[in-house]
Amino acid sequence: MALIAVAADKGSPGVTTAAVALAAVWPRRVLLAETDPAGGDLVYRSRAAHGGALDPNTGMLSLAATARRGLAAEQLWDHAQPLTGGLDVLVGLGSAEQAAGLAGLWPMLGQAFATLDESPGGAADVIADCGRIGTDSPTLELFAHSALVLLVARTEPEHLARVRDRAGALSAKLHGSQRGAAAALGHPPIGILLVTDPGHSVRIAGQVNDMLVGSQISARVVGTLAHDPAGAEMLSGRRRGRLDKSLLIRSARRITADVPQRYGVFR
């Protein structure tokens, strides 16, 4: 099993919504980890399985205290909480100031996330919501342990330019100086997840791939997630409706049916 890191460059492309949607339909048991150093959103967006609020002190905050004494992968479950619907989550930090408590622990967390398949308490993949990243983001230390890095982007020209540049910089950091076909063999692979109008998804995905090839950047579009505000509200429990019939979840299912096998995520 594997660690999937989900991140973005700038703006608000919907990293958390994308991570939750993918985790909700992931084909195997999964743990969703809010690892954004700026703080998590699920404690405000979602409800616990018991119907009440999620505990903001049980998750990445409590895990940081445990990890100071060393961390085994099975200990992750001690800090997880189930959402309504059964998805297990590690609730994110309450603020950017709390991220100081994780200083120096990110490689250890990455190792624990990547080896959760060995947990006697239940093997699982981990989808990590890393939020926005830059050259000095501490969550970059998780990426070396990932089976796949997904960069989420909207399709406005400025967003595509930024994700192209971020993918190039990230490839250089993770894969060294190799470019083009050689870098495409690097580990972990870098995928682009486009959030777009379903009616134009195929055309836009092709154009973005052409742009990446022309720039000799090894990242490729792995799929398109429907821009579906109503589905996002249903996913967070703010709106009633048939979530399984929403454009958001239907597009997430197509991604999770294809991407793990294509990128060798499942060991």
Side-chain angles (χ1 to χ4, degrees):
M1 296 191 179
L3 166 62
I4 314 298
V6 186
D9 183 68
K10 287 186 68 176
S12 301
V15 175
T16 297
T17 296
V20 175
L22 294 176
V25 297
W26 199 248
R28 305 195 303 191
R29 188 180 183 188
V30 68
L31 174 64
L32 175 64
E34 279 194 297
T35 61
D36 187 346
D41 294 330
L42 290 180
V43 72
Y44 307 109
R45 291 188 185 189
S46 304
R47 307 294 290 178
H50 53 65
L54 291 162
D55 181 357
N57 298 313
T58 301
M60 291 298 294
L61 186 61
S62 58
L63 184 60
T66 295
R68 288 291 174 190
R69 301 183 295 274
L71 182 65
E74 60 265 22
Q75 290 177 286
L76 295 172
W77 295 116
D78 298 335
H79 305 272
Q81 302 179 64
L83 297 180
T84 299
L87 177 62
D88 290 307
V89 301
L90 285 173
V91 170
L93 301 172
S95 65
E97 288 72 21
Q98 291 179 345
L102 286 167
L105 300 178
W106 292 102
M108 184 188 302
L109 291 172
Q111 180 66 21
F113 291 156
T115 58
L116 190 57
D117 60 331
E118 301 168 7
S119 168
D125 296 320
V126 176
I127 294 179
D129 171 6
C130 299
R132 289 184 291 178
I133 58 169
T135 55
D136 58 350
S137 298
T139 47
L140 292 176
E141 296 186 80
L142 297 179
F143 289 8
H145 300 277
S146 301
L148 175 65
V149 175
L150 288 178
L151 296 179
V152 182
R154 296 193 184 277
T155 55
E156 291 82 1
E158 64 272 22
H159 289 279
L160 295 179
R162 288 172 183 148
V163 79
R164 175 200 62 201
D165 294 344
R166 178 58 55 201
L170 194 56
S171 180
K173 182 178 181 64
L174 296 174
H175 306 149
S177 60
Q178 292 180 320
R179 295 178 65 84
L185 301 175
H187 183 84
I190 301 169
I192 309 296
L193 183 58
L194 296 174
V195 179
T196 185
D197 178 354
H200 305 105
S201 59
V202 174
R203 174 179 58 83
I204 291 175
Q207 291 174 345
V208 174
N209 271 331
D210 289 343
M211 175 186 70
L212 294 168
V213 171
S215 301
Q216 293 190 304
I217 295 172
S218 62
R220 295 292 180 267
V221 175
V222 302
T224 58
L225 200 64
H227 176 58
D228 178 14
E233 289 193 352
M234 284 188 279
L235 185 65
S236 64
R238 295 173 178 169
R239 178 172 180 158
R240 294 179 180 274
R242 290 290 304 276
L243 178 60
D244 60 320
K245 300 295 184 182
S246 69
L247 292 173
L248 174 63
I249 289 300
R250 286 160 57 189
S251 61
R253 287 191 186 280
R254 286 193 291 271
I255 294 165
T256 59
D258 174 58
V259 167
Q261 286 78 14
R262 193 200 317 176
Y263 286 90
V265 168
F266 293 164
R267 296 197 291 251

mmCIF file of all heavy atoms in Angstrom, residues 48-95:
data_model
loop_
_atom_site.group_PDB
_atom_site.id
_atom_site.type_symbol
_atom_site.label_atom_id
_atom_site.label_comp_id
_atom_site.label_asym_id
_atom_site.label_seq_id
_atom_site.Cartn_x
_atom_site.Cartn_y
_atom_site.Cartn_z
ATOM 1 N N ALA A 48 -18.122 14.127 12.955
ATOM 2 C CA ALA A 48 -17.624 12.813 13.357
ATOM 3 C C ALA A 48 -18.709 11.770 13.180
ATOM 4 O O ALA A 48 -19.901 12.087 13.054
ATOM 5 C CB ALA A 48 -17.154 12.862 14.803
ATOM 6 N N ALA A 49 -18.303 10.510 13.198
ATOM 7 C CA ALA A 49 -19.253 9.410 12.996
ATOM 8 C C ALA A 49 -20.334 9.386 14.071
ATOM 9 O O ALA A 49 -21.466 8.944 13.817
ATOM 10 C CB ALA A 49 -18.507 8.081 12.965
ATOM 11 N N HIS A 50 -20.036 9.883 15.269
ATOM 12 C CA HIS A 50 -21.032 9.885 16.347
ATOM 13 C C HIS A 50 -22.029 11.033 16.209
ATOM 14 O O HIS A 50 -22.934 11.183 17.022
ATOM 15 C CB HIS A 50 -20.352 9.941 17.712
ATOM 16 C CG HIS A 50 -19.376 11.065 17.893
ATOM 17 N ND1 HIS A 50 -19.741 12.399 17.881
ATOM 18 C CD2 HIS A 50 -18.027 11.052 18.072
ATOM 19 C CE1 HIS A 50 -18.686 13.168 18.063
ATOM 20 N NE2 HIS A 50 -17.620 12.373 18.164
ATOM 21 N N GLY A 51 -21.856 11.862 15.186
ATOM 22 C CA GLY A 51 -22.789 12.946 14.939
ATOM 23 C C GLY A 51 -22.362 14.284 15.490
ATOM 24 O O GLY A 51 -22.917 15.324 15.117
ATOM 25 N N GLY A 52 -21.387 14.285 16.373
ATOM 26 C CA GLY A 52 -20.897 15.518 16.953
ATOM 27 C C GLY A 52 -19.698 16.066 16.202
ATOM 28 O O GLY A 52 -19.379 15.644 15.095
ATOM 29 N N ALA A 53 -19.029 17.005 16.845
ATOM 30 C CA ALA A 53 -17.866 17.631 16.227
ATOM 31 C C ALA A 53 -16.631 16.746 16.356
ATOM 32 O O ALA A 53 -16.523 15.931 17.278
ATOM 33 C CB ALA A 53 -17.604 18.983 16.884
ATOM 34 N N LEU A 54 -15.722 16.905 15.414
ATOM 35 C CA LEU A 54 -14.429 16.240 15.519
ATOM 36 C C LEU A 54 -13.615 16.880 16.643
ATOM 37 O O LEU A 54 -13.747 18.073 16.928
ATOM 38 C CB LEU A 54 -13.666 16.366 14.202
ATOM 39 C CG LEU A 54 -14.233 15.588 13.013
ATOM 40 C CD1 LEU A 54 -13.660 16.134 11.712
ATOM 41 C CD2 LEU A 54 -13.939 14.107 13.152
ATOM 42 N N ASP A 55 -12.766 16.086 17.268
ATOM 43 C CA ASP A 55 -11.908 16.583 18.336
ATOM 44 C C ASP A 55 -10.664 17.217 17.712
ATOM 45 O O ASP A 55 -9.849 16.518 17.117
ATOM 46 C CB ASP A 55 -11.508 15.439 19.262
ATOM 47 C CG ASP A 55 -10.621 15.878 20.421
ATOM 48 O OD1 ASP A 55 -10.257 17.069 20.482
ATOM 49 O OD2 ASP A 55 -10.300 15.021 21.266
ATOM 50 N N PRO A 56 -10.483 18.540 17.835
ATOM 51 C CA PRO A 56 -9.342 19.181 17.191
ATOM 52 C C PRO A 56 -7.999 18.804 17.803
ATOM 53 O O PRO A 56 -6.946 19.035 17.193
ATOM 54 C CB PRO A 56 -9.623 20.673 17.383
ATOM 55 C CG PRO A 56 -10.476 20.731 18.607
ATOM 56 C CD PRO A 56 -11.324 19.499 18.560
ATOM 57 N N ASN A 57 -8.025 18.214 18.988
ATOM 58 C CA ASN A 57 -6.781 17.850 19.670
ATOM 59 C C ASN A 57 -6.331 16.429 19.397
ATOM 60 O O ASN A 57 -5.264 16.013 19.856
ATOM 61 C CB ASN A 57 -6.935 18.059 21.176
ATOM 62 C CG ASN A 57 -7.193 19.507 21.538
ATOM 63 O OD1 ASN A 57 -6.509 20.400 21.053
ATOM 64 N ND2 ASN A 57 -8.211 19.749 22.355
ATOM 65 N N THR A 58 -7.161 15.677 18.672
ATOM 66 C CA THR A 58 -6.815 14.302 18.316
ATOM 67 C C THR A 58 -6.574 14.235 16.815
ATOM 68 O O THR A 58 -7.498 14.371 16.026
ATOM 69 C CB THR A 58 -7.940 13.322 18.708
ATOM 70 O OG1 THR A 58 -8.163 13.398 20.111
ATOM 71 C CG2 THR A 58 -7.566 11.896 18.334
ATOM 72 N N GLY A 59 -5.328 14.075 16.445
ATOM 73 C CA GLY A 59 -4.956 14.085 15.039
ATOM 74 C C GLY A 59 -3.492 14.439 14.917
ATOM 75 O O GLY A 59 -2.647 13.915 15.646
ATOM 76 N N MET A 60 -3.168 15.349 14.021
ATOM 77 C CA MET A 60 -1.772 15.722 13.816
ATOM 78 C C MET A 60 -1.165 16.348 15.072
ATOM 79 O O MET A 60 0.019 16.177 15.340
ATOM 80 C CB MET A 60 -1.665 16.689 12.634
ATOM 81 C CG MET A 60 -1.972 16.063 11.280
ATOM 82 S SD MET A 60 -0.821 14.734 10.824
ATOM 83 C CE MET A 60 0.699 15.655 10.628
ATOM 84 N N LEU A 61 -1.977 17.075 15.854
ATOM 85 C CA LEU A 61 -1.464 17.710 17.069
ATOM 86 C C LEU A 61 -1.036 16.665 18.089
ATOM 87 O O LEU A 61 0.073 16.729 18.644
ATOM 88 C CB LEU A 61 -2.522 18.632 17.664
ATOM 89 C CG LEU A 61 -2.084 19.477 18.869
ATOM 90 C CD1 LEU A 61 -0.949 20.408 18.479
ATOM 91 C CD2 LEU A 61 -3.273 20.268 19.419
ATOM 92 N N SER A 62 -1.896 15.692 18.351
ATOM 93 C CA SER A 62 -1.540 14.641 19.314
ATOM 94 C C SER A 62 -0.464 13.723 18.748
ATOM 95 O O SER A 62 0.387 13.211 19.488
ATOM 96 C CB SER A 62 -2.789 13.841 19.705
ATOM 97 O OG SER A 62 -3.404 13.249 18.568
ATOM 98 N N LEU A 63 -0.470 13.526 17.428
ATOM 99 C CA LEU A 63 0.546 12.682 16.798
ATOM 100 C C LEU A 63 1.934 13.297 16.942
ATOM 101 O O LEU A 63 2.927 12.577 17.129
ATOM 102 C CB LEU A 63 0.198 12.490 15.321
ATOM 103 C CG LEU A 63 1.085 11.552 14.509
ATOM 104 C CD1 LEU A 63 1.064 10.147 15.079
ATOM 105 C CD2 LEU A 63 0.639 11.537 13.043
ATOM 106 N N ALA A 64 2.001 14.621 16.874
ATOM 107 C CA ALA A 64 3.295 15.297 17.025
ATOM 108 C C ALA A 64 3.906 14.998 18.387
ATOM 109 O O ALA A 64 5.118 14.762 18.502
ATOM 110 C CB ALA A 64 3.124 16.804 16.841
ATOM 111 N N ALA A 65 3.074 14.993 19.424
ATOM 112 C CA ALA A 65 3.582 14.699 20.771
ATOM 113 C C ALA A 65 4.074 13.262 20.864
ATOM 114 O O ALA A 65 5.124 12.978 21.459
ATOM 115 C CB ALA A 65 2.484 14.963 21.803
ATOM 116 N N THR A 66 3.347 12.343 20.257
ATOM 117 C CA THR A 66 3.748 10.937 20.263
ATOM 118 C C THR A 66 5.047 10.733 19.497
ATOM 119 O O THR A 66 5.948 10.004 19.931
ATOM 120 C CB THR A 66 2.643 10.068 19.632
ATOM 121 O OG1 THR A 66 1.469 10.132 20.451
ATOM 122 C CG2 THR A 66 3.079 8.613 19.511
ATOM 123 N N ALA A 67 5.153 11.386 18.319
ATOM 124 C CA ALA A 67 6.308 11.177 17.443
ATOM 125 C C ALA A 67 7.607 11.667 18.069
ATOM 126 O O ALA A 67 8.690 11.238 17.657
ATOM 127 C CB ALA A 67 6.071 11.869 16.110
ATOM 128 N N ARG A 68 7.534 12.541 19.048
ATOM 129 C CA ARG A 68 8.753 13.000 19.724
ATOM 130 C C ARG A 68 9.474 11.842 20.403
ATOM 131 O O ARG A 68 10.669 11.899 20.665
ATOM 132 C CB ARG A 68 8.405 14.067 20.764
ATOM 133 C CG ARG A 68 7.992 15.404 20.176
ATOM 134 C CD ARG A 68 9.145 16.082 19.519
ATOM 135 N NE ARG A 68 8.736 17.309 18.820
ATOM 136 C CZ ARG A 68 9.516 17.984 18.009
ATOM 137 N NH1 ARG A 68 10.740 17.544 17.757
ATOM 138 N NH2 ARG A 68 9.087 19.077 17.406
ATOM 139 N N ARG A 69 8.747 10.780 20.698
ATOM 140 C CA ARG A 69 9.323 9.598 21.360
ATOM 141 C C ARG A 69 9.498 8.447 20.379
ATOM 142 O O ARG A 69 9.710 7.303 20.782
ATOM 143 C CB ARG A 69 8.422 9.160 22.523
ATOM 144 C CG ARG A 69 8.226 10.247 23.574
ATOM 145 C CD ARG A 69 7.393 9.759 24.756
ATOM 146 N NE ARG A 69 6.027 9.433 24.355
ATOM 147 C CZ ARG A 69 5.040 10.327 24.293
ATOM 148 N NH1 ARG A 69 5.267 11.599 24.597
ATOM 149 N NH2 ARG A 69 3.813 9.966 23.945
ATOM 150 N N GLY A 70 9.391 8.749 19.076
ATOM 151 C CA GLY A 70 9.459 7.710 18.057
ATOM 152 C C GLY A 70 8.060 7.361 17.593
ATOM 153 O O GLY A 70 7.080 7.563 18.325
ATOM 154 N N LEU A 71 7.953 6.823 16.381
ATOM 155 C CA LEU A 71 6.633 6.572 15.812
ATOM 156 C C LEU A 71 6.624 5.299 14.984
ATOM 157 O O LEU A 71 7.391 5.158 14.037
ATOM 158 C CB LEU A 71 6.210 7.757 14.932
ATOM 159 C CG LEU A 71 4.824 7.684 14.300
ATOM 160 C CD1 LEU A 71 3.739 7.709 15.377
ATOM 161 C CD2 LEU A 71 4.627 8.842 13.326
ATOM 162 N N ALA A 72 5.753 4.389 15.356
ATOM 163 C CA ALA A 72 5.488 3.190 14.561
ATOM 164 C C ALA A 72 4.212 3.426 13.763
ATOM 165 O O ALA A 72 3.293 4.118 14.225
ATOM 166 C CB ALA A 72 5.332 1.973 15.460
ATOM 167 N N ALA A 73 4.148 2.852 12.580
ATOM 168 C CA ALA A 73 3.017 3.115 11.692
ATOM 169 C C ALA A 73 1.682 2.792 12.355
ATOM 170 O O ALA A 73 0.708 3.536 12.177
ATOM 171 C CB ALA A 73 3.178 2.306 10.400
ATOM 172 N N GLU A 74 1.610 1.721 13.129
ATOM 173 C CA GLU A 74 0.333 1.337 13.725
ATOM 174 C C GLU A 74 -0.179 2.367 14.723
ATOM 175 O O GLU A 74 -1.378 2.416 15.027
ATOM 176 C CB GLU A 74 0.428 -0.036 14.388
ATOM 177 C CG GLU A 74 1.451 -0.143 15.496
ATOM 178 C CD GLU A 74 2.778 -0.676 15.004
ATOM 179 O OE1 GLU A 74 3.048 -0.578 13.778
ATOM 180 O OE2 GLU A 74 3.538 -1.216 15.827
ATOM 181 N N GLN A 75 0.705 3.219 15.225
ATOM 182 C CA GLN A 75 0.274 4.255 16.163
ATOM 183 C C GLN A 75 -0.562 5.342 15.496
ATOM 184 O O GLN A 75 -1.244 6.108 16.184
ATOM 185 C CB GLN A 75 1.496 4.889 16.839
ATOM 186 C CG GLN A 75 2.220 3.970 17.810
ATOM 187 C CD GLN A 75 3.458 4.625 18.395
ATOM 188 O OE1 GLN A 75 4.478 4.769 17.718
ATOM 189 N NE2 GLN A 75 3.368 5.044 19.639
ATOM 190 N N LEU A 76 -0.526 5.426 14.173
ATOM 191 C CA LEU A 76 -1.346 6.411 13.477
ATOM 192 C C LEU A 76 -2.823 6.238 13.804
ATOM 193 O O LEU A 76 -3.566 7.217 13.933
ATOM 194 C CB LEU A 76 -1.138 6.297 11.966
ATOM 195 C CG LEU A 76 0.261 6.630 11.430
ATOM 196 C CD1 LEU A 76 0.352 6.278 9.954
ATOM 197 C CD2 LEU A 76 0.596 8.102 11.661
ATOM 198 N N TRP A 77 -3.253 4.991 13.944
ATOM 199 C CA TRP A 77 -4.670 4.729 14.219
ATOM 200 C C TRP A 77 -5.101 5.271 15.578
ATOM 201 O O TRP A 77 -6.275 5.571 15.769
ATOM 202 C CB TRP A 77 -4.960 3.231 14.134
ATOM 203 C CG TRP A 77 -4.768 2.650 12.773
ATOM 204 C CD1 TRP A 77 -3.862 1.711 12.393
ATOM 205 C CD2 TRP A 77 -5.496 2.989 11.586
ATOM 206 N NE1 TRP A 77 -3.971 1.444 11.059
ATOM 207 C CE2 TRP A 77 -4.966 2.197 10.538
ATOM 208 C CE3 TRP A 77 -6.539 3.870 11.314
ATOM 209 C CZ2 TRP A 77 -5.457 2.279 9.230
ATOM 210 C CZ3 TRP A 77 -7.019 3.957 10.010
ATOM 211 C CH2 TRP A 77 -6.487 3.161 8.993
ATOM 212 N N ASP A 78 -4.172 5.417 16.508
ATOM 213 C CA ASP A 78 -4.511 5.956 17.827
ATOM 214 C C ASP A 78 -4.938 7.416 17.752
ATOM 215 O O ASP A 78 -5.550 7.931 18.698
ATOM 216 C CB ASP A 78 -3.313 5.837 18.787
ATOM 217 C CG ASP A 78 -2.896 4.401 19.040
ATOM 218 O OD1 ASP A 78 -3.754 3.506 18.897
ATOM 219 O OD2 ASP A 78 -1.715 4.184 19.377
ATOM 220 N N HIS A 79 -4.604 8.076 16.654
ATOM 221 C CA HIS A 79 -4.881 9.506 16.521
ATOM 222 C C HIS A 79 -5.912 9.797 15.434
ATOM 223 O O HIS A 79 -6.156 10.960 15.108
ATOM 224 C CB HIS A 79 -3.577 10.243 16.223
ATOM 225 C CG HIS A 79 -2.509 9.979 17.237
ATOM 226 N ND1 HIS A 79 -2.358 10.713 18.382
ATOM 227 C CD2 HIS A 79 -1.561 9.002 17.294
ATOM 228 C CE1 HIS A 79 -1.360 10.239 19.099
ATOM 229 N NE2 HIS A 79 -0.854 9.194 18.458
ATOM 230 N N ALA A 80 -6.509 8.746 14.867
ATOM 231 C CA ALA A 80 -7.489 8.900 13.795
ATOM 232 C C ALA A 80 -8.902 8.974 14.366
ATOM 233 O O ALA A 80 -9.191 8.437 15.436
ATOM 234 C CB ALA A 80 -7.383 7.738 12.812
ATOM 235 N N GLN A 81 -9.771 9.649 13.626
ATOM 236 C CA GLN A 81 -11.189 9.747 13.986
ATOM 237 C C GLN A 81 -12.030 9.412 12.754
ATOM 238 O O GLN A 81 -11.683 9.828 11.643
ATOM 239 C CB GLN A 81 -11.549 11.157 14.443
ATOM 240 C CG GLN A 81 -10.753 11.672 15.618
ATOM 241 C CD GLN A 81 -11.154 13.085 15.986
ATOM 242 O OE1 GLN A 81 -12.291 13.348 16.387
ATOM 243 N NE2 GLN A 81 -10.211 14.017 15.839
ATOM 244 N N PRO A 82 -13.129 8.675 12.929
ATOM 245 C CA PRO A 82 -13.987 8.381 11.776
ATOM 246 C C PRO A 82 -14.978 9.516 11.520
ATOM 247 O O PRO A 82 -15.585 10.059 12.437
ATOM 248 C CB PRO A 82 -14.717 7.100 12.198
ATOM 249 C CG PRO A 82 -14.785 7.199 13.692
ATOM 250 C CD PRO A 82 -13.539 7.923 14.133
ATOM 251 N N LEU A 83 -15.123 9.864 10.243
ATOM 252 C CA LEU A 83 -16.137 10.827 9.834
ATOM 253 C C LEU A 83 -17.471 10.118 9.651
ATOM 254 O O LEU A 83 -17.543 8.885 9.577
ATOM 255 C CB LEU A 83 -15.755 11.479 8.503
ATOM 256 C CG LEU A 83 -14.477 12.313 8.434
ATOM 257 C CD1 LEU A 83 -14.313 12.855 7.019
ATOM 258 C CD2 LEU A 83 -14.495 13.421 9.443
ATOM 259 N N THR A 84 -18.527 10.890 9.558
ATOM 260 C CA THR A 84 -19.806 10.338 9.131
ATOM 261 C C THR A 84 -19.598 9.657 7.777
ATOM 262 O O THR A 84 -19.058 10.258 6.852
ATOM 263 C CB THR A 84 -20.856 11.455 8.992
ATOM 264 O OG1 THR A 84 -21.026 12.089 10.260
ATOM 265 C CG2 THR A 84 -22.189 10.889 8.532
ATOM 266 N N GLY A 85 -19.990 8.415 7.669
ATOM 267 C CA GLY A 85 -19.725 7.655 6.455
ATOM 268 C C GLY A 85 -18.584 6.684 6.609
ATOM 269 O O GLY A 85 -18.414 5.790 5.796
ATOM 270 N N GLY A 86 -17.766 6.871 7.686
ATOM 271 C CA GLY A 86 -16.762 5.869 8.010
ATOM 272 C C GLY A 86 -15.339 6.171 7.612
ATOM 273 O O GLY A 86 -14.432 5.409 7.961
ATOM 274 N N LEU A 87 -15.079 7.258 6.874
ATOM 275 C CA LEU A 87 -13.713 7.573 6.468
ATOM 276 C C LEU A 87 -12.879 7.972 7.684
ATOM 277 O O LEU A 87 -13.263 8.853 8.452
ATOM 278 C CB LEU A 87 -13.723 8.713 5.446
ATOM 279 C CG LEU A 87 -12.361 9.227 4.970
ATOM 280 C CD1 LEU A 87 -11.585 8.128 4.261
ATOM 281 C CD2 LEU A 87 -12.543 10.436 4.056
ATOM 282 N N ASP A 88 -11.716 7.326 7.860
ATOM 283 C CA ASP A 88 -10.821 7.632 8.973
ATOM 284 C C ASP A 88 -9.928 8.811 8.605
ATOM 285 O O ASP A 88 -9.327 8.831 7.528
ATOM 286 C CB ASP A 88 -9.950 6.420 9.307
ATOM 287 C CG ASP A 88 -10.758 5.286 9.928
ATOM 288 O OD1 ASP A 88 -11.458 5.546 10.914
ATOM 289 O OD2 ASP A 88 -10.686 4.161 9.410
ATOM 290 N N VAL A 89 -9.809 9.790 9.528
ATOM 291 C CA VAL A 89 -9.012 10.974 9.248
ATOM 292 C C VAL A 89 -8.081 11.284 10.413
ATOM 293 O O VAL A 89 -8.393 11.023 11.574
ATOM 294 C CB VAL A 89 -9.892 12.213 8.954
ATOM 295 C CG1 VAL A 89 -10.807 11.967 7.769
ATOM 296 C CG2 VAL A 89 -10.692 12.622 10.177
ATOM 297 N N LEU A 90 -6.931 11.844 10.060
ATOM 298 C CA LEU A 90 -6.069 12.509 11.027
ATOM 299 C C LEU A 90 -6.341 13.992 10.879
ATOM 300 O O LEU A 90 -5.960 14.616 9.883
ATOM 301 C CB LEU A 90 -4.588 12.226 10.728
ATOM 302 C CG LEU A 90 -4.033 10.850 11.089
ATOM 303 C CD1 LEU A 90 -2.612 10.717 10.556
ATOM 304 C CD2 LEU A 90 -4.041 10.659 12.597
ATOM 305 N N VAL A 91 -7.040 14.560 11.855
ATOM 306 C CA VAL A 91 -7.418 15.967 11.797
ATOM 307 C C VAL A 91 -6.167 16.843 11.817
ATOM 308 O O VAL A 91 -5.209 16.575 12.550
ATOM 309 C CB VAL A 91 -8.351 16.309 12.979
ATOM 310 C CG1 VAL A 91 -8.564 17.815 13.089
ATOM 311 C CG2 VAL A 91 -9.682 15.602 12.808
ATOM 312 N N GLY A 92 -6.185 17.904 11.020
ATOM 313 C CA GLY A 92 -5.027 18.770 10.890
ATOM 314 C C GLY A 92 -4.785 19.677 12.074
ATOM 315 O O GLY A 92 -5.572 19.728 13.033
ATOM 316 N N LEU A 93 -3.686 20.395 12.005
ATOM 317 C CA LEU A 93 -3.330 21.358 13.038
ATOM 318 C C LEU A 93 -4.364 22.477 13.074
ATOM 319 O O LEU A 93 -5.042 22.766 12.089
ATOM 320 C CB LEU A 93 -1.950 21.942 12.750
ATOM 321 C CG LEU A 93 -0.796 20.928 12.677
ATOM 322 C CD1 LEU A 93 0.471 21.626 12.190
ATOM 323 C CD2 LEU A 93 -0.570 20.269 14.038
ATOM 324 N N GLY A 94 -4.441 23.136 14.229
ATOM 325 C CA GLY A 94 -5.399 24.218 14.357
ATOM 326 C C GLY A 94 -4.923 25.520 13.763
ATOM 327 O O GLY A 94 -5.729 26.372 13.386
ATOM 328 N N SER A 95 -3.613 25.697 13.642
ATOM 329 C CA SER A 95 -3.062 26.942 13.123
ATOM 330 C C SER A 95 -1.641 26.711 12.637
ATOM 331 O O SER A 95 -1.008 25.698 12.965
ATOM 332 C CB SER A 95 -3.052 28.015 14.214
ATOM 333 O OG SER A 95 -2.163 27.652 15.256
#
